[in-house]
Amino acid sequence: MSDESAPRRTKKQNDCLHQSLRGLGDTFNDAGLDMRKVLKPGVDIPWTAESVKKFMFNPISMVMFDRTSSKLSTIEIQKVWQVMIRHSGENHGVTVGWPDHLNGGKCK
């Protein structure tokens, strides 16, 4: 399922990924959906960009492409994001769009 011929992600795409992860974490928190409600029952754990990446994005990328975010191509990052956001929307009513631009540049 991987597209190893696609270019590796750019710094701008990396910045966009982290902005989007932070946005999803903030949106979960604002909706009252701490990590306990989404992933781990029993402990109230607020979301951060790093926890979204560690507990959602990277596990999905491992299943889809057998590697974590730092090794994904530009195309693979988009595919993982789409799966993660679809799951989040269907199961928790929470979605965050991929930013079209970050600091004046494209995020793709």
Side-chain angles (χ1 to χ4, degrees):
M1 226 170 130
S2 74
D3 187 354
E4 294 186 27
S5 64
R8 294 281 182 223
R9 71 180 178 198
T10 63
K11 174 164 180 3
K12 197 161 298 256
Q13 189 179 37
N14 186 60
D15 292 344
C16 289
L17 172 63
H18 285 96
Q19 176 185 332
S20 298
L21 294 170
R22 189 170 33 260
L24 182 58
D26 291 345
T27 303
F28 274 136
N29 290 331
D30 292 346
L33 296 168
D34 61 47
M35 288 180 65
R36 167 190 54 168
K37 291 181 181 160
V38 177
L39 297 176
K40 305 278 183 195
V43 179
D44 183 8
I45 308 168
W47 286 99
T48 65
E50 285 304 311
S51 63
V52 172
K53 184 177 177 181
K54 181 177 180 179
F55 295 107
M56 292 184 75
F57 192 90
N58 279 338
I60 293 168
S61 73
M62 287 300 295
V63 170
M64 291 178 70
F65 300 109
D66 198 30
R67 54 187 174 274
T68 60
S69 61
S70 63
K71 304 293 183 191
L72 295 176
S73 73
T74 58
I75 294 167
E76 292 166 341
I77 281 182
Q78 294 295 316
K79 289 179 179 180
V80 172
W81 183 261
Q82 290 168 356
V83 168
M84 184 177 75
I85 289 302
R86 184 179 66 238
H87 169 79
S88 173
E90 289 173 355
N91 291 284
H92 303 288
V94 172
T95 62
V96 172
W98 185 262
D100 290 331
H101 294 83
L102 181 70
N103 299 328
K106 292 200 174 229
C107 287
K108 300 220 182 221

